Amino acid sequence: QVELVESGGGLVQAGGSLRLSCAASGSTFSIDAMGWYRQAPGKQRELVATITSSARIIYEDSVKGRFTISRDNAKNSVALQMNNLKPEDTAVYYCAVRGRFRVYWGQGTQVTVSS
């Protein structure tokens, strides 16, 4: 069992920045990849960024150059620095952690970017 607690969402103007954080607890020894997904109204949940225990990183194309994912293995946490935010980034952002047998999801945090 892994529990994820997210923080850092909010409302910002276009061009602004936010930093999302996610802390894992429980059976953290089983954690492999950590990352962030988002879901906008009427759309499918999509990958934003992932980072493996060996620091391999994948970004969704629209966030490349604007978002940066990082993790602290000692603290079992992952963060997403979001710069130059755009209205199309508005969504609920979910922390996700891949364990040995399943994926664990955070509760979601709202990110709203106004024009």
Side-chain angles (χ1 to χ4, degrees):
Q1 178 67 42
V2 175
E3 183 176 355
L4 306 176
V5 178
E6 303 177 25
S7 63
L11 193 158
V12 297
Q13 292 184 324
S17 298
L18 285 173
R19 184 177 179 87
L20 306 182
S21 296
C22 176
S25 62
S27 301
T28 56
F29 60 86
S30 67
I31 293 174
D32 178 16
M34 307 182 76
W36 296 90
Y37 288 72
R38 66 187 180 187
Q39 188 166 24
K43 294 187 176 181
Q44 299 270 23
R45 186 175 299 182
E46 67 175 359
L47 172 73
V48 179
T50 61
I51 181 168
T52 69
S53 59
S54 60
R56 299 196 312 275
I57 295 173
I58 297 173
Y59 291 107
E60 194 274 327
D61 286 342
S62 69
V63 310
K64 289 180 179 177
R66 299 188 298 119
F67 292 10
T68 303
I69 189 170
S70 61
R71 67 187 287 173
D72 186 332
N73 290 329
K75 296 181 178 179
N76 297 306
S77 65
V78 61
L80 186 70
Q81 178 67 44
M82 304 185 293
N83 297 326
N84 192 24
L85 283 160
K86 303 175 180 180
E88 50 263 44
D89 295 317
T90 295
V92 177
Y93 284 69
Y94 296 91
C95 179
V97 171
R98 186 172 68 203
R100 190 161 295 148
F101 303 110
R102 59 164 290 185
V103 174
Y104 298 90
W105 295 93
Q107 80 279 7
T109 184
Q110 178 70 46
V111 171
T112 302
V113 184
S114 62
S115 300

PDB file of all heavy atoms in Angstrom, residues 5-12 17-21 36-42 67 80 82 85-95 106-114:
ATOM      1  N   VAL A   5       0.286  12.139  -1.273  1.00  0.00           N
ATOM      2  CA  VAL A   5      -0.295  13.409  -0.865  1.00  0.00           C
ATOM      3  C   VAL A   5       0.275  14.504  -1.753  1.00  0.00           C
ATOM      4  O   VAL A   5       1.488  14.715  -1.791  1.00  0.00           O
ATOM      5  CB  VAL A   5      -0.020  13.719   0.610  1.00  0.00           C
ATOM      6  CG1 VAL A   5      -0.613  15.074   0.985  1.00  0.00           C
ATOM      7  CG2 VAL A   5      -0.596  12.630   1.501  1.00  0.00           C
ATOM      8  N   GLU A   6      -0.610  15.211  -2.464  1.00  0.00           N
ATOM      9  CA  GLU A   6      -0.216  16.249  -3.397  1.00  0.00           C
ATOM     10  C   GLU A   6      -0.431  17.630  -2.798  1.00  0.00           C
ATOM     11  O   GLU A   6      -1.327  17.834  -1.972  1.00  0.00           O
ATOM     12  CB  GLU A   6      -1.031  16.152  -4.690  1.00  0.00           C
ATOM     13  CG  GLU A   6      -0.951  14.817  -5.392  1.00  0.00           C
ATOM     14  CD  GLU A   6      -1.843  14.771  -6.612  1.00  0.00           C
ATOM     15  OE1 GLU A   6      -2.144  15.843  -7.188  1.00  0.00           O
ATOM     16  OE2 GLU A   6      -2.244  13.659  -7.011  1.00  0.00           O
ATOM     17  N   SER A   7       0.362  18.582  -3.259  1.00  0.00           N
ATOM     18  CA  SER A   7       0.193  19.970  -2.862  1.00  0.00           C
ATOM     19  C   SER A   7       0.742  20.874  -3.957  1.00  0.00           C
ATOM     20  O   SER A   7       1.505  20.432  -4.819  1.00  0.00           O
ATOM     21  CB  SER A   7       0.902  20.254  -1.535  1.00  0.00           C
ATOM     22  OG  SER A   7       2.298  20.057  -1.645  1.00  0.00           O
ATOM     23  N   GLY A   8       0.354  22.141  -3.922  1.00  0.00           N
ATOM     24  CA  GLY A   8       0.937  23.129  -4.808  1.00  0.00           C
ATOM     25  C   GLY A   8       0.048  23.652  -5.919  1.00  0.00           C
ATOM     26  O   GLY A   8       0.446  24.563  -6.650  1.00  0.00           O
ATOM     27  N   GLY A   9      -1.146  23.111  -6.079  1.00  0.00           N
ATOM     28  CA  GLY A   9      -2.042  23.606  -7.098  1.00  0.00           C
ATOM     29  C   GLY A   9      -2.575  24.983  -6.760  1.00  0.00           C
ATOM     30  O   GLY A   9      -2.393  25.491  -5.656  1.00  0.00           O
ATOM     31  N   GLY A  10      -3.243  25.593  -7.734  1.00  0.00           N
ATOM     32  CA  GLY A  10      -3.804  26.911  -7.503  1.00  0.00           C
ATOM     33  C   GLY A  10      -4.203  27.590  -8.788  1.00  0.00           C
ATOM     34  O   GLY A  10      -4.284  26.964  -9.843  1.00  0.00           O
ATOM     35  N   LEU A  11      -4.462  28.881  -8.688  1.00  0.00           N
ATOM     36  CA  LEU A  11      -4.876  29.709  -9.816  1.00  0.00           C
ATOM     37  C   LEU A  11      -3.790  30.732 -10.102  1.00  0.00           C
ATOM     38  O   LEU A  11      -3.357  31.457  -9.194  1.00  0.00           O
ATOM     39  CB  LEU A  11      -6.202  30.403  -9.503  1.00  0.00           C
ATOM     40  CG  LEU A  11      -6.946  31.073 -10.659  1.00  0.00           C
ATOM     41  CD1 LEU A  11      -8.417  31.227 -10.309  1.00  0.00           C
ATOM     42  CD2 LEU A  11      -6.350  32.439 -10.985  1.00  0.00           C
ATOM     43  N   VAL A  12      -3.346  30.784 -11.353  1.00  0.00           N
ATOM     44  CA  VAL A  12      -2.330  31.749 -11.766  1.00  0.00           C
ATOM     45  C   VAL A  12      -2.709  32.347 -13.107  1.00  0.00           C
ATOM     46  O   VAL A  12      -3.512  31.788 -13.852  1.00  0.00           O
ATOM     47  CB  VAL A  12      -0.924  31.118 -11.867  1.00  0.00           C
ATOM     48  CG1 VAL A  12      -0.452  30.614 -10.516  1.00  0.00           C
ATOM     49  CG2 VAL A  12      -0.921  29.986 -12.894  1.00  0.00           C
ATOM     50  N   SER A  17       3.921  30.809 -12.794  1.00  0.00           N
ATOM     51  CA  SER A  17       4.538  29.538 -12.431  1.00  0.00           C
ATOM     52  C   SER A  17       3.861  28.921 -11.219  1.00  0.00           C
ATOM     53  O   SER A  17       3.315  29.624 -10.363  1.00  0.00           O
ATOM     54  CB  SER A  17       6.026  29.728 -12.114  1.00  0.00           C
ATOM     55  OG  SER A  17       6.748  30.200 -13.233  1.00  0.00           O
ATOM     56  N   LEU A  18       3.907  27.604 -11.155  1.00  0.00           N
ATOM     57  CA  LEU A  18       3.483  26.840  -9.998  1.00  0.00           C
ATOM     58  C   LEU A  18       4.436  25.669  -9.826  1.00  0.00           C
ATOM     59  O   LEU A  18       5.034  25.199 -10.796  1.00  0.00           O
ATOM     60  CB  LEU A  18       2.063  26.299 -10.151  1.00  0.00           C
ATOM     61  CG  LEU A  18       0.885  27.255  -9.995  1.00  0.00           C
ATOM     62  CD1 LEU A  18      -0.409  26.541 -10.359  1.00  0.00           C
ATOM     63  CD2 LEU A  18       0.810  27.789  -8.580  1.00  0.00           C
ATOM     64  N   ARG A  19       4.539  25.190  -8.593  1.00  0.00           N
ATOM     65  CA  ARG A  19       5.329  24.003  -8.315  1.00  0.00           C
ATOM     66  C   ARG A  19       4.456  23.002  -7.574  1.00  0.00           C
ATOM     67  O   ARG A  19       3.934  23.302  -6.498  1.00  0.00           O
ATOM     68  CB  ARG A  19       6.559  24.341  -7.471  1.00  0.00           C
ATOM     69  CG  ARG A  19       7.484  23.149  -7.213  1.00  0.00           C
ATOM     70  CD  ARG A  19       8.719  23.570  -6.431  1.00  0.00           C
ATOM     71  NE  ARG A  19       9.607  22.455  -6.139  1.00  0.00           N
ATOM     72  CZ  ARG A  19      10.558  22.021  -6.951  1.00  0.00           C
ATOM     73  NH1 ARG A  19      10.766  22.621  -8.121  1.00  0.00           N
ATOM     74  NH2 ARG A  19      11.318  20.994  -6.595  1.00  0.00           N
ATOM     75  N   LEU A  20       4.280  21.827  -8.159  1.00  0.00           N
ATOM     76  CA  LEU A  20       3.527  20.754  -7.546  1.00  0.00           C
ATOM     77  C   LEU A  20       4.471  19.798  -6.837  1.00  0.00           C
ATOM     78  O   LEU A  20       5.563  19.508  -7.334  1.00  0.00           O
ATOM     79  CB  LEU A  20       2.726  19.975  -8.590  1.00  0.00           C
ATOM     80  CG  LEU A  20       1.785  20.770  -9.499  1.00  0.00           C
ATOM     81  CD1 LEU A  20       1.045  19.821 -10.430  1.00  0.00           C
ATOM     82  CD2 LEU A  20       0.811  21.605  -8.677  1.00  0.00           C
ATOM     83  N   SER A  21       4.037  19.303  -5.685  1.00  0.00           N
ATOM     84  CA  SER A  21       4.820  18.335  -4.938  1.00  0.00           C
ATOM     85  C   SER A  21       3.952  17.143  -4.582  1.00  0.00           C
ATOM     86  O   SER A  21       2.740  17.272  -4.408  1.00  0.00           O
ATOM     87  CB  SER A  21       5.390  18.956  -3.657  1.00  0.00           C
ATOM     88  OG  SER A  21       6.293  19.992  -3.951  1.00  0.00           O
ATOM     89  N   TRP A  36       3.522  12.568 -13.182  1.00  0.00           N
ATOM     90  CA  TRP A  36       2.339  13.409 -13.147  1.00  0.00           C
ATOM     91  C   TRP A  36       1.497  13.205 -14.391  1.00  0.00           C
ATOM     92  O   TRP A  36       2.025  13.140 -15.509  1.00  0.00           O
ATOM     93  CB  TRP A  36       2.726  14.891 -13.043  1.00  0.00           C
ATOM     94  CG  TRP A  36       3.439  15.222 -11.773  1.00  0.00           C
ATOM     95  CD1 TRP A  36       4.777  15.188 -11.544  1.00  0.00           C
ATOM     96  CD2 TRP A  36       2.829  15.625 -10.543  1.00  0.00           C
ATOM     97  NE1 TRP A  36       5.047  15.550 -10.250  1.00  0.00           N
ATOM     98  CE2 TRP A  36       3.871  15.824  -9.610  1.00  0.00           C
ATOM     99  CE3 TRP A  36       1.516  15.841 -10.136  1.00  0.00           C
ATOM    100  CZ2 TRP A  36       3.631  16.227  -8.296  1.00  0.00           C
ATOM    101  CZ3 TRP A  36       1.275  16.239  -8.837  1.00  0.00           C
ATOM    102  CH2 TRP A  36       2.322  16.426  -7.938  1.00  0.00           C
ATOM    103  N   TYR A  37       0.195  13.096 -14.188  1.00  0.00           N
ATOM    104  CA  TYR A  37      -0.799  13.066 -15.245  1.00  0.00           C
ATOM    105  C   TYR A  37      -1.768  14.217 -15.023  1.00  0.00           C
ATOM    106  O   TYR A  37      -1.835  14.778 -13.928  1.00  0.00           O
ATOM    107  CB  TYR A  37      -1.557  11.740 -15.253  1.00  0.00           C
ATOM    108  CG  TYR A  37      -0.751  10.565 -15.748  1.00  0.00           C
ATOM    109  CD1 TYR A  37       0.264  10.019 -14.976  1.00  0.00           C
ATOM    110  CD2 TYR A  37      -1.015   9.986 -16.991  1.00  0.00           C
ATOM    111  CE1 TYR A  37       1.006   8.944 -15.426  1.00  0.00           C
ATOM    112  CE2 TYR A  37      -0.288   8.909 -17.447  1.00  0.00           C
ATOM    113  CZ  TYR A  37       0.729   8.385 -16.658  1.00  0.00           C
ATOM    114  OH  TYR A  37       1.451   7.310 -17.116  1.00  0.00           O
ATOM    115  N   ARG A  38      -2.524  14.566 -16.056  1.00  0.00           N
ATOM    116  CA  ARG A  38      -3.532  15.598 -15.901  1.00  0.00           C
ATOM    117  C   ARG A  38      -4.770  15.245 -16.707  1.00  0.00           C
ATOM    118  O   ARG A  38      -4.700  14.514 -17.688  1.00  0.00           O
ATOM    119  CB  ARG A  38      -3.005  16.975 -16.320  1.00  0.00           C
ATOM    120  CG  ARG A  38      -2.689  17.113 -17.804  1.00  0.00           C
ATOM    121  CD  ARG A  38      -2.017  18.446 -18.077  1.00  0.00           C
ATOM    122  NE  ARG A  38      -1.701  18.613 -19.486  1.00  0.00           N
ATOM    123  CZ  ARG A  38      -0.990  19.618 -19.980  1.00  0.00           C
ATOM    124  NH1 ARG A  38      -0.526  20.567 -19.163  1.00  0.00           N
ATOM    125  NH2 ARG A  38      -0.748  19.696 -21.283  1.00  0.00           N
ATOM    126  N   GLN A  39      -5.892  15.783 -16.270  1.00  0.00           N
ATOM    127  CA  GLN A  39      -7.147  15.552 -16.950  1.00  0.00           C
ATOM    128  C   GLN A  39      -7.941  16.851 -16.988  1.00  0.00           C
ATOM    129  O   GLN A  39      -8.321  17.385 -15.946  1.00  0.00           O
ATOM    130  CB  GLN A  39      -7.960  14.456 -16.270  1.00  0.00           C
ATOM    131  CG  GLN A  39      -9.194  14.043 -17.040  1.00  0.00           C
ATOM    132  CD  GLN A  39      -9.785  12.746 -16.537  1.00  0.00           C
ATOM    133  OE1 GLN A  39      -9.585  12.374 -15.387  1.00  0.00           O
ATOM    134  NE2 GLN A  39     -10.501  12.053 -17.395  1.00  0.00           N
ATOM    135  N   ALA A  40      -8.172  17.350 -18.192  1.00  0.00           N
ATOM    136  CA  ALA A  40      -8.984  18.537 -18.402  1.00  0.00           C
ATOM    137  C   ALA A  40     -10.433  18.116 -18.634  1.00  0.00           C
ATOM    138  O   ALA A  40     -10.699  16.982 -19.038  1.00  0.00           O
ATOM    139  CB  ALA A  40      -8.463  19.330 -19.593  1.00  0.00           C
ATOM    140  N   PRO A  41     -11.385  19.023 -18.393  1.00  0.00           N
ATOM    141  CA  PRO A  41     -12.796  18.679 -18.611  1.00  0.00           C
ATOM    142  C   PRO A  41     -13.058  18.173 -20.021  1.00  0.00           C
ATOM    143  O   PRO A  41     -12.629  18.787 -20.998  1.00  0.00           O
ATOM    144  CB  PRO A  41     -13.518  20.001 -18.353  1.00  0.00           C
ATOM    145  CG  PRO A  41     -12.622  20.738 -17.417  1.00  0.00           C
ATOM    146  CD  PRO A  41     -11.234  20.383 -17.860  1.00  0.00           C
ATOM    147  N   GLY A  42     -13.746  17.039 -20.125  1.00  0.00           N
ATOM    148  CA  GLY A  42     -14.092  16.477 -21.412  1.00  0.00           C
ATOM    149  C   GLY A  42     -12.971  15.776 -22.136  1.00  0.00           C
ATOM    150  O   GLY A  42     -13.152  15.372 -23.292  1.00  0.00           O
ATOM    151  N   PHE A  67       8.100  22.783 -18.356  1.00  0.00           N
ATOM    152  CA  PHE A  67       7.956  22.021 -17.110  1.00  0.00           C
ATOM    153  C   PHE A  67       9.222  21.227 -16.834  1.00  0.00           C
ATOM    154  O   PHE A  67       9.890  20.764 -17.764  1.00  0.00           O
ATOM    155  CB  PHE A  67       6.789  21.036 -17.200  1.00  0.00           C
ATOM    156  CG  PHE A  67       5.426  21.658 -17.261  1.00  0.00           C
ATOM    157  CD1 PHE A  67       5.242  23.023 -17.431  1.00  0.00           C
ATOM    158  CD2 PHE A  67       4.297  20.851 -17.147  1.00  0.00           C
ATOM    159  CE1 PHE A  67       3.976  23.580 -17.491  1.00  0.00           C
ATOM    160  CE2 PHE A  67       3.028  21.395 -17.201  1.00  0.00           C
ATOM    161  CZ  PHE A  67       2.867  22.750 -17.375  1.00  0.00           C
ATOM    162  N   LEU A  80       6.976  18.840  -9.709  1.00  0.00           N
ATOM    163  CA  LEU A  80       6.817  19.331 -11.075  1.00  0.00           C
ATOM    164  C   LEU A  80       6.843  20.848 -11.033  1.00  0.00           C
ATOM    165  O   LEU A  80       5.911  21.474 -10.521  1.00  0.00           O
ATOM    166  CB  LEU A  80       5.515  18.834 -11.688  1.00  0.00           C
ATOM    167  CG  LEU A  80       5.303  19.177 -13.166  1.00  0.00           C
ATOM    168  CD1 LEU A  80       6.275  18.383 -14.044  1.00  0.00           C
ATOM    169  CD2 LEU A  80       3.862  18.885 -13.586  1.00  0.00           C
ATOM    170  N   MET A  82       6.398  24.123 -12.977  1.00  0.00           N
ATOM    171  CA  MET A  82       5.663  24.523 -14.166  1.00  0.00           C
ATOM    172  C   MET A  82       5.863  26.016 -14.382  1.00  0.00           C
ATOM    173  O   MET A  82       5.398  26.835 -13.584  1.00  0.00           O
ATOM    174  CB  MET A  82       4.178  24.197 -14.027  1.00  0.00           C
ATOM    175  CG  MET A  82       3.905  22.728 -13.719  1.00  0.00           C
ATOM    176  SD  MET A  82       2.132  22.337 -13.691  1.00  0.00           S
ATOM    177  CE  MET A  82       1.638  23.268 -12.238  1.00  0.00           C
ATOM    178  N   LEU A  85       3.107  29.154 -17.725  1.00  0.00           N
ATOM    179  CA  LEU A  85       1.842  28.424 -17.820  1.00  0.00           C
ATOM    180  C   LEU A  85       0.900  29.065 -18.829  1.00  0.00           C
ATOM    181  O   LEU A  85       0.865  30.285 -18.994  1.00  0.00           O
ATOM    182  CB  LEU A  85       1.183  28.349 -16.450  1.00  0.00           C
ATOM    183  CG  LEU A  85       1.809  27.320 -15.508  1.00  0.00           C
ATOM    184  CD1 LEU A  85       1.450  27.623 -14.064  1.00  0.00           C
ATOM    185  CD2 LEU A  85       1.355  25.908 -15.894  1.00  0.00           C
ATOM    186  N   LYS A  86       0.129  28.206 -19.492  1.00  0.00           N
ATOM    187  CA  LYS A  86      -0.823  28.617 -20.503  1.00  0.00           C
ATOM    188  C   LYS A  86      -2.224  28.176 -20.099  1.00  0.00           C
ATOM    189  O   LYS A  86      -2.376  27.209 -19.344  1.00  0.00           O
ATOM    190  CB  LYS A  86      -0.469  27.992 -21.854  1.00  0.00           C
ATOM    191  CG  LYS A  86       0.931  28.313 -22.342  1.00  0.00           C
ATOM    192  CD  LYS A  86       1.251  27.567 -23.626  1.00  0.00           C
ATOM    193  CE  LYS A  86       2.651  27.876 -24.113  1.00  0.00           C
ATOM    194  NZ  LYS A  86       2.971  27.150 -25.365  1.00  0.00           N
ATOM    195  N   PRO A  87      -3.258  28.855 -20.591  1.00  0.00           N
ATOM    196  CA  PRO A  87      -4.623  28.435 -20.250  1.00  0.00           C
ATOM    197  C   PRO A  87      -4.894  26.966 -20.571  1.00  0.00           C
ATOM    198  O   PRO A  87      -5.652  26.315 -19.841  1.00  0.00           O
ATOM    199  CB  PRO A  87      -5.496  29.364 -21.097  1.00  0.00           C
ATOM    200  CG  PRO A  87      -4.674  30.608 -21.220  1.00  0.00           C
ATOM    201  CD  PRO A  87      -3.249  30.120 -21.345  1.00  0.00           C
ATOM    202  N   GLU A  88      -4.292  26.435 -21.622  1.00  0.00           N
ATOM    203  CA  GLU A  88      -4.505  25.045 -21.978  1.00  0.00           C
ATOM    204  C   GLU A  88      -3.858  24.064 -21.001  1.00  0.00           C
ATOM    205  O   GLU A  88      -4.074  22.857 -21.110  1.00  0.00           O
ATOM    206  CB  GLU A  88      -4.021  24.758 -23.404  1.00  0.00           C
ATOM    207  CG  GLU A  88      -2.620  25.251 -23.690  1.00  0.00           C
ATOM    208  CD  GLU A  88      -2.597  26.604 -24.385  1.00  0.00           C
ATOM    209  OE1 GLU A  88      -3.356  27.499 -23.970  1.00  0.00           O
ATOM    210  OE2 GLU A  88      -1.814  26.759 -25.348  1.00  0.00           O
ATOM    211  N   ASP A  89      -3.071  24.559 -20.051  1.00  0.00           N
ATOM    212  CA  ASP A  89      -2.540  23.717 -18.990  1.00  0.00           C
ATOM    213  C   ASP A  89      -3.559  23.483 -17.880  1.00  0.00           C
ATOM    214  O   ASP A  89      -3.310  22.673 -16.980  1.00  0.00           O
ATOM    215  CB  ASP A  89      -1.280  24.331 -18.381  1.00  0.00           C
ATOM    216  CG  ASP A  89      -0.123  24.398 -19.358  1.00  0.00           C
ATOM    217  OD1 ASP A  89       0.100  23.416 -20.095  1.00  0.00           O
ATOM    218  OD2 ASP A  89       0.574  25.432 -19.375  1.00  0.00           O
ATOM    219  N   THR A  90      -4.672  24.191 -17.918  1.00  0.00           N
ATOM    220  CA  THR A  90      -5.697  24.046 -16.892  1.00  0.00           C
ATOM    221  C   THR A  90      -6.216  22.616 -16.855  1.00  0.00           C
ATOM    222  O   THR A  90      -6.655  22.073 -17.872  1.00  0.00           O
ATOM    223  CB  THR A  90      -6.851  25.017 -17.147  1.00  0.00           C
ATOM    224  OG1 THR A  90      -6.382  26.358 -17.016  1.00  0.00           O
ATOM    225  CG2 THR A  90      -7.986  24.796 -16.152  1.00  0.00           C
ATOM    226  N   ALA A  91      -6.159  21.994 -15.685  1.00  0.00           N
ATOM    227  CA  ALA A  91      -6.568  20.603 -15.523  1.00  0.00           C
ATOM    228  C   ALA A  91      -6.423  20.218 -14.057  1.00  0.00           C
ATOM    229  O   ALA A  91      -5.855  20.962 -13.255  1.00  0.00           O
ATOM    230  CB  ALA A  91      -5.705  19.677 -16.382  1.00  0.00           C
ATOM    231  N   VAL A  92      -6.938  19.042 -13.732  1.00  0.00           N
ATOM    232  CA  VAL A  92      -6.623  18.417 -12.457  1.00  0.00           C
ATOM    233  C   VAL A  92      -5.363  17.593 -12.662  1.00  0.00           C
ATOM    234  O   VAL A  92      -5.304  16.758 -13.570  1.00  0.00           O
ATOM    235  CB  VAL A  92      -7.765  17.533 -11.938  1.00  0.00           C
ATOM    236  CG1 VAL A  92      -7.365  16.837 -10.642  1.00  0.00           C
ATOM    237  CG2 VAL A  92      -9.021  18.369 -11.719  1.00  0.00           C
ATOM    238  N   TYR A  93      -4.368  17.827 -11.844  1.00  0.00           N
ATOM    239  CA  TYR A  93      -3.093  17.133 -11.956  1.00  0.00           C
ATOM    240  C   TYR A  93      -3.013  16.032 -10.904  1.00  0.00           C
ATOM    241  O   TYR A  93      -3.275  16.268  -9.725  1.00  0.00           O
ATOM    242  CB  TYR A  93      -1.932  18.114 -11.787  1.00  0.00           C
ATOM    243  CG  TYR A  93      -1.694  18.958 -13.011  1.00  0.00           C
ATOM    244  CD1 TYR A  93      -2.614  19.925 -13.395  1.00  0.00           C
ATOM    245  CD2 TYR A  93      -0.555  18.779 -13.794  1.00  0.00           C
ATOM    246  CE1 TYR A  93      -2.409  20.689 -14.534  1.00  0.00           C
ATOM    247  CE2 TYR A  93      -0.339  19.543 -14.927  1.00  0.00           C
ATOM    248  CZ  TYR A  93      -1.266  20.495 -15.294  1.00  0.00           C
ATOM    249  OH  TYR A  93      -1.052  21.258 -16.423  1.00  0.00           O
ATOM    250  N   TYR A  94      -2.648  14.833 -11.344  1.00  0.00           N
ATOM    251  CA  TYR A  94      -2.578  13.669 -10.478  1.00  0.00           C
ATOM    252  C   TYR A  94      -1.150  13.150 -10.379  1.00  0.00           C
ATOM    253  O   TYR A  94      -0.511  12.899 -11.397  1.00  0.00           O
ATOM    254  CB  TYR A  94      -3.455  12.534 -11.009  1.00  0.00           C
ATOM    255  CG  TYR A  94      -4.929  12.842 -11.035  1.00  0.00           C
ATOM    256  CD1 TYR A  94      -5.524  13.406 -12.156  1.00  0.00           C
ATOM    257  CD2 TYR A  94      -5.733  12.549  -9.940  1.00  0.00           C
ATOM    258  CE1 TYR A  94      -6.871  13.686 -12.183  1.00  0.00           C
ATOM    259  CE2 TYR A  94      -7.085  12.824  -9.960  1.00  0.00           C
ATOM    260  CZ  TYR A  94      -7.649  13.388 -11.089  1.00  0.00           C
ATOM    261  OH  TYR A  94      -8.996  13.654 -11.113  1.00  0.00           O
ATOM    262  N   CYS A  95      -0.688  12.984  -9.175  1.00  0.00           N
ATOM    263  CA  CYS A  95       0.564  12.284  -8.941  1.00  0.00           C
ATOM    264  C   CYS A  95       0.333  10.791  -9.129  1.00  0.00           C
ATOM    265  O   CYS A  95      -0.710  10.264  -8.741  1.00  0.00           O
ATOM    266  CB  CYS A  95       1.056  12.583  -7.527  1.00  0.00           C
ATOM    267  SG  CYS A  95       2.598  11.767  -7.078  1.00  0.00           S
ATOM    268  N   GLY A 106      -2.571   9.804  -6.641  1.00  0.00           N
ATOM    269  CA  GLY A 106      -2.883  10.820  -5.669  1.00  0.00           C
ATOM    270  C   GLY A 106      -4.309  11.306  -5.823  1.00  0.00           C
ATOM    271  O   GLY A 106      -5.040  10.890  -6.728  1.00  0.00           O
ATOM    272  N   GLN A 107      -4.717  12.205  -4.940  1.00  0.00           N
ATOM    273  CA  GLN A 107      -6.106  12.665  -4.937  1.00  0.00           C
ATOM    274  C   GLN A 107      -6.406  13.690  -6.022  1.00  0.00           C
ATOM    275  O   GLN A 107      -7.578  13.959  -6.308  1.00  0.00           O
ATOM    276  CB  GLN A 107      -6.456  13.260  -3.561  1.00  0.00           C
ATOM    277  CG  GLN A 107      -5.975  14.695  -3.324  1.00  0.00           C
ATOM    278  CD  GLN A 107      -4.519  14.804  -2.920  1.00  0.00           C
ATOM    279  OE1 GLN A 107      -3.767  13.830  -2.922  1.00  0.00           O
ATOM    280  NE2 GLN A 107      -4.106  16.020  -2.551  1.00  0.00           N
ATOM    281  N   GLY A 108      -5.384  14.255  -6.624  1.00  0.00           N
ATOM    282  CA  GLY A 108      -5.547  15.279  -7.642  1.00  0.00           C
ATOM    283  C   GLY A 108      -5.514  16.674  -7.045  1.00  0.00           C
ATOM    284  O   GLY A 108      -6.005  16.910  -5.947  1.00  0.00           O
ATOM    285  N   THR A 109      -4.926  17.600  -7.785  1.00  0.00           N
ATOM    286  CA  THR A 109      -4.895  18.996  -7.371  1.00  0.00           C
ATOM    287  C   THR A 109      -5.211  19.868  -8.588  1.00  0.00           C
ATOM    288  O   THR A 109      -4.705  19.636  -9.684  1.00  0.00           O
ATOM    289  CB  THR A 109      -3.535  19.372  -6.744  1.00  0.00           C
ATOM    290  OG1 THR A 109      -3.578  20.716  -6.259  1.00  0.00           O
ATOM    291  CG2 THR A 109      -2.393  19.249  -7.740  1.00  0.00           C
ATOM    292  N   GLN A 110      -6.064  20.860  -8.385  1.00  0.00           N
ATOM    293  CA  GLN A 110      -6.531  21.699  -9.494  1.00  0.00           C
ATOM    294  C   GLN A 110      -5.494  22.754  -9.840  1.00  0.00           C
ATOM    295  O   GLN A 110      -4.998  23.474  -8.964  1.00  0.00           O
ATOM    296  CB  GLN A 110      -7.848  22.377  -9.127  1.00  0.00           C
ATOM    297  CG  GLN A 110      -8.386  23.320 -10.204  1.00  0.00           C
ATOM    298  CD  GLN A 110      -8.874  22.589 -11.435  1.00  0.00           C
ATOM    299  OE1 GLN A 110      -9.597  21.595 -11.318  1.00  0.00           O
ATOM    300  NE2 GLN A 110      -8.479  23.072 -12.608  1.00  0.00           N
ATOM    301  N   VAL A 111      -5.189  22.865 -11.127  1.00  0.00           N
ATOM    302  CA  VAL A 111      -4.360  23.941 -11.658  1.00  0.00           C
ATOM    303  C   VAL A 111      -5.204  24.714 -12.656  1.00  0.00           C
ATOM    304  O   VAL A 111      -5.699  24.143 -13.627  1.00  0.00           O
ATOM    305  CB  VAL A 111      -3.088  23.410 -12.342  1.00  0.00           C
ATOM    306  CG1 VAL A 111      -2.357  24.540 -13.066  1.00  0.00           C
ATOM    307  CG2 VAL A 111      -2.176  22.753 -11.316  1.00  0.00           C
ATOM    308  N   THR A 112      -5.384  26.002 -12.407  1.00  0.00           N
ATOM    309  CA  THR A 112      -6.176  26.850 -13.286  1.00  0.00           C
ATOM    310  C   THR A 112      -5.327  28.028 -13.745  1.00  0.00           C
ATOM    311  O   THR A 112      -4.750  28.738 -12.921  1.00  0.00           O
ATOM    312  CB  THR A 112      -7.433  27.371 -12.575  1.00  0.00           C
ATOM    313  OG1 THR A 112      -8.220  26.266 -12.121  1.00  0.00           O
ATOM    314  CG2 THR A 112      -8.272  28.217 -13.521  1.00  0.00           C
ATOM    315  N   VAL A 113      -5.262  28.219 -15.051  1.00  0.00           N
ATOM    316  CA  VAL A 113      -4.462  29.295 -15.639  1.00  0.00           C
ATOM    317  C   VAL A 113      -5.409  30.230 -16.377  1.00  0.00           C
ATOM    318  O   VAL A 113      -6.079  29.825 -17.332  1.00  0.00           O
ATOM    319  CB  VAL A 113      -3.392  28.754 -16.590  1.00  0.00           C
ATOM    320  CG1 VAL A 113      -2.519  29.896 -17.096  1.00  0.00           C
ATOM    321  CG2 VAL A 113      -2.544  27.695 -15.897  1.00  0.00           C
ATOM    322  N   SER A 114      -5.468  31.476 -15.956  1.00  0.00           N
ATOM    323  CA  SER A 114      -6.354  32.452 -16.561  1.00  0.00           C
ATOM    324  C   SER A 114      -5.633  33.232 -17.655  1.00  0.00           C
ATOM    325  O   SER A 114      -4.409  33.373 -17.647  1.00  0.00           O
ATOM    326  CB  SER A 114      -6.887  33.416 -15.504  1.00  0.00           C
ATOM    327  OG  SER A 114      -5.833  34.146 -14.899  1.00  0.00           O
TER     328      SER A 114
END
